[in-house]
Amino acid sequence: MSQPPPPNQPPQQPGFGPPQEPSEPQTPAPSAPGTPPTPPAQPPQQPPAGPDLNKAPQPQPGYGYPQAPGTPPPAAPPTPPQGPGYGYPQQQQPPAGYGYPAQQPGPYGQPGPYGQPQQPGPYGQQPPYGYAQPTVPMQAQAGQPGGGRKVNAQMAIIVSAVVAIALIVGGGVWYANSSGKDDDKQTTAEGGDTKGGEGDGKEGGSGDGGATTGEAEEKAPAATGSKVLFQVPSPKVPKGVTTISIAGSWLTDSVYAKSGLSEITGYDRKTGTKKWTLDLPGPVCAATPHLTEDNKTAIVHKPAMPSKTDPQACTEVAVVDLAAGSKVWTKTAKSGTMPVSFNNVTIGGGTVAAGSTSGGAAWDLATGDERWAPKTSDSCYDAGYGGGAKLVAVRKCGSYDQRQLHIQNVDPKTGDVLAEYKMDEGIEYAAVVSTDPLVVAADVGDSAGDGSGISDFFSIDNKTGKLRARLSAPGDEFAARCDAIYKVENCTGVTVGNDRLYIATEEHDSGGDSYGQTNEVVAFDLATGKQTGQRADAGENYEIFPLRMDGPHVIAYKRPPYDKGGQVVSIDGESFKETILMENPSTEAVRDVESRMSPDYSEIQFGQGGLYMSSVYASDFTSREKEYSVIAFGTE
């Protein structure tokens, strides 16, 4: 049950979620946002304080059950609480929803609103040019404990058009001038005192696929209070264009790199000074978080800027040198005579691999030589790949009503299958959470019910292809999400290490006399599929999200209450003791920017005492004069 807000607190600020890509247009109907509920005279009865964190996984009904043609997809993913953050007085908003098929945006975003004409989606539908279906915050509905993630599917479709109107009225993601010389100090992250609180606190590289290697690198600074290092202004989208992907951000020892409209820029990690800019002919559609030891990464981009008459497809696969700020090579692939428009890209074993609904292709990372490409004679196709320590393909076989997914550990040089696990028929999508150990997430029988894309995790032996364990993670209890439809290795709220899976629980009531909300990070044993009993609490009115591993430790971000700054903590992999690494400023101007960078729908990088939060879309859905695409914090 949702709780009324505490009295005498500021009103909720409208938030902004990334736009969705509906499969068919919907006619918007104007609707004004609701008003905050009036607190009852007596506090309502408290529901249970969160999920049972110690019970063994329960069998999920409908496991592997084939879906009949025309069966509606899972409910739309709810939008994250935007605005000032958890613990802030809530407004009643119409639940977010969207059309058929369901799609979940993620850190690297969905294909842009222009669609991909050459590559129709699973249901063969494409939206018209310029149609974008953004989302607004969805608050907990009556009778839905645990933060209100579930959405009634019919209601979601009915209100989906209303959401776009609400967003235009409500505002969007903020940006500001990166020069740090803006005169309006009250509307930028520079306003007021930029020092946060003090505490004790630890780093680790991103994108290692979840395997635990080496010692923890992050060390607690003497003072954990951070300051705003810099911010990057939002790029202006071309006239007549609603939304463009700006997916992709990377962190090296000296550079923070971020995609723009048709460029990637490398910024000095501490000052925000531009060190280099790599011009691209079109926007970045998808990017891998993985980096090589010499700081190379891979992207997919469009061959030109989209226009009203030519939306462009995501045909260009490129390797980028983040140290030099240059492009190493660019390649394309064909399925028959048609150029392939790719949905995702990754790096593993010296190979760049990209997947699509037309199949997958791969190239030598160093030379760009083709290693394999789609074959029109194939009855199966590689929808996408997971990278890092190994290269894993999610291969789709069979027709829609008899779909079977093959999870394949492949030789990165030849594409030969080294080991394979065949999932039960009827599971339409799967995401690779980690390649070593191999962990895959799926929504079995559409039973998650909340649009997260996850009802179960599968722990697989990547040497034999045998199932080690199945981990039940019901959508109403756990807060991880995966965009398995397009971005095969795009999952948030979960990480893997120590042969365990670390996952955020759903937000729930704090319990007792408090009206606050909170959640936890808990651990599953990948050998047994059972919870270990370990848990790290977010604290009242905070919500905690695991970001990645740092050796044996878990790095997590805490989304704050309305009156505090966010935190970064290190969780000891064995004792689960939390150490604060960073606490951000609590001034209103800074909080207003940070709170709009939701962990589910933004890119968050942390390392060497620096926290970098960025948007994955640039859009004209805003009523703000100044907006940020990046905000960076540092303790040194």
Side-chain angles (χ1 to χ4, degrees):
M1 177 181 298
S2 62
Q3 297 296 332
N8 303 320
Q9 294 192 2
Q12 171 79 0
Q13 298 295 322
F16 176 67
Q20 313 290 331
E21 184 183 9
S23 60
E24 56 187 43
Q26 302 178 20
T27 304
S31 175
T35 56
T38 302
Q42 298 296 328
Q45 183 177 355
Q46 299 288 337
D52 181 354
L53 301 177
N54 296 309
K55 71 178 183 180
Q58 299 298 317
Q60 295 298 304
Y63 173 66
Y65 194 84
Q67 301 176 37
T71 301
T79 53
Q82 298 283 353
Y86 291 92
Y88 200 96
Q90 305 294 308
Q91 273 190 331
Q92 295 296 327
Q93 299 282 1
Y98 46 76
Y100 187 73
Q103 299 181 13
Q104 299 103 17
Y108 296 98
Q110 294 293 98
Y114 313 101
Q116 297 177 2
Q118 291 90 342
Q119 306 297 326
Y123 302 95
Q125 300 292 332
Q126 290 295 335
Y129 167 78
Y131 187 94
Q133 186 174 341
T135 57
V136 294
M138 184 189 70
Q139 309 302 338
Q141 304 299 310
Q144 292 184 1
R149 277 187 181 263
K150 286 181 177 282
V151 185
N152 178 279
Q154 290 181 331
M155 187 60 182
I157 295 173
I158 293 172
V159 302
S160 59
V162 179
V163 172
I165 300 298
L167 176 63
I168 293 172
V169 174
V173 182
W174 270 45
Y175 302 85
N177 193 316
S178 62
S179 68
K181 298 180 180 179
D182 199 294
D183 292 332
D184 186 359
K185 300 299 183 182
Q186 299 306 311
T187 58
T188 75
E190 299 166 309
D193 181 11
T194 58
K195 293 288 185 180
E198 293 187 0
D200 298 316
K202 300 185 189 184
E203 167 187 328
S206 64
D208 65 354
T212 301
T213 56
E215 300 294 327
E217 297 180 7
E218 296 293 345
K219 306 299 180 183
T224 59
S226 72
K227 64 180 180 179
V228 177
L229 298 177
F230 61 92
Q231 56 275 339
V232 177
S234 170
K236 302 299 183 183
V237 299
K239 185 178 180 180
V241 176
T242 55
T243 305
I244 289 182
S245 168
I246 52 172
S249 62
W250 305 268
L251 197 59
T252 74
D253 288 341
S254 60
V255 169
Y256 171 73
K258 174 61 185 170
S259 296
L261 284 190
S262 59
E263 64 184 19
I264 299 175
T265 302
Y267 301 92
D268 182 277
R269 286 181 50 137
K270 294 185 178 181
T271 66
T273 302
K274 290 184 180 181
K275 303 186 79 169
W276 50 259
T277 298
L278 171 62
D279 292 327
L280 301 171
V284 174
C285 307
T288 178
H290 300 299
L291 294 176
T292 64
E293 291 184 359
D294 57 351
N295 293 322
K296 292 183 176 65
T297 191
I299 61 171
V300 175
H301 65 84
K302 295 188 175 185
M305 287 298 292
S307 66
K308 190 171 184 178
T309 57
D310 188 357
Q312 299 293 326
C314 300
T315 56
E316 315 297 299
V317 177
V319 166
V320 176
D321 185 333
L322 299 176
S326 61
K327 188 186 291 187
V328 180
W329 52 255
T330 302
K331 299 293 179 179
T332 60
K334 289 185 177 181
S335 177
T337 60
M338 295 296 295
V340 176
S341 184
F342 292 103
N343 298 323
N344 53 76
V345 67
T346 194
I347 293 175
T351 292
V352 176
S356 76
T357 55
S358 293
W363 301 266
D364 181 277
L365 192 152
T367 65
D369 293 341
E370 185 177 282
R371 289 186 166 169
W372 64 83
K375 296 179 181 179
T376 55
S377 60
D378 284 350
S379 59
C380 303
Y381 66 91
D382 289 357
Y385 302 90
K390 297 184 181 297
L391 188 63
V392 173
V394 176
R395 189 164 178 82
K396 291 193 174 187
C397 297
S399 59
Y400 168 69
D401 58 340
Q402 292 182 313
R403 179 79 73 209
Q404 186 173 44
L405 301 183
H406 298 201
I407 309 301
Q408 300 176 332
N409 180 17
V410 301
D411 184 317
K413 290 182 171 55
T414 64
D416 293 341
V417 178
L418 304 177
E420 179 179 75
Y421 173 72
K422 295 181 180 180
M423 305 188 80
D424 283 14
E425 287 187 4
I427 301 176
E428 181 69 12
Y429 305 106
V432 179
V433 182
S434 166
T435 60
D436 187 22
L438 179 52
V439 180
V440 173
D443 186 357
V444 178
D446 295 340
S447 58
D450 63 346
S452 65
I454 305 172
S455 67
D456 297 82
F457 293 92
F458 297 81
S459 173
I460 302 167
D461 188 314
N462 55 23
K463 294 182 179 179
T464 66
K466 293 182 179 180
L467 182 68
R468 299 177 65 201
R470 177 182 167 211
L471 292 63
S472 177
D476 60 349
E477 294 185 17
F478 296 95
R481 343 177 39 88
C482 291
D483 176 13
I485 295 178
Y486 287 113
K487 314 298 181 184
V488 167
E489 63 175 359
N490 176 19
C491 294
T492 60
V494 62
T495 192
V496 173
N498 304 321
D499 207 35
R500 294 169 186 164
L501 180 141
Y502 301 96
I503 184 172
T505 68
E506 279 283 9
E507 187 189 14
H508 57 80
D509 292 320
S510 298
D513 296 331
S514 171
Y515 288 105
Q517 299 280 294
T518 190
N519 79 322
E520 300 80 27
V521 169
V522 299
F524 283 84
D525 188 308
L526 292 177
T528 66
K530 296 180 180 180
Q531 289 189 34
T532 64
Q534 298 165 307
R535 58 182 284 170
D537 295 317
E540 186 171 348
N541 289 328
Y542 285 88
E543 187 174 20
I544 190 169
F545 295 83
L547 298 177
R548 58 170 176 81
M549 298 301 298
D550 173 30
H553 302 330
V554 179
I555 300 298
Y557 172 74
K558 288 188 177 183
R559 189 168 168 83
Y562 79 95
D563 58 348
K564 295 181 180 180
Q567 295 180 350
V568 177
V569 298
S570 175
I571 304 171
D572 186 284
E574 291 300 326
S575 69
F576 257 47
K577 176 184 176 182
E578 296 180 42
T579 300
I580 296 178
L581 304 181
M582 174 180 288
E583 187 166 7
N584 292 336
S586 60
T587 54
E588 182 178 0
V590 177
R591 295 195 323 260
D592 191 45
V593 179
E594 180 182 5
S595 64
R596 295 173 190 276
M597 301 293 185
S598 161
D600 276 335
Y601 300 104
S602 303
E603 296 170 342
I604 300 180
Q605 304 278 355
F606 179 81
Q608 301 176 12
L611 175 67
Y612 306 82
M613 310 178 76
S614 66
S615 174
V616 295
Y617 284 99
S619 119
D620 64 354
F621 290 110
T622 179
S623 59
R624 307 280 184 175
E625 292 182 0
K626 298 171 183 176
E627 297 186 342
Y628 296 85
S629 64
V630 175
I631 185 166
F633 300 91
T635 56
E636 297 177 359

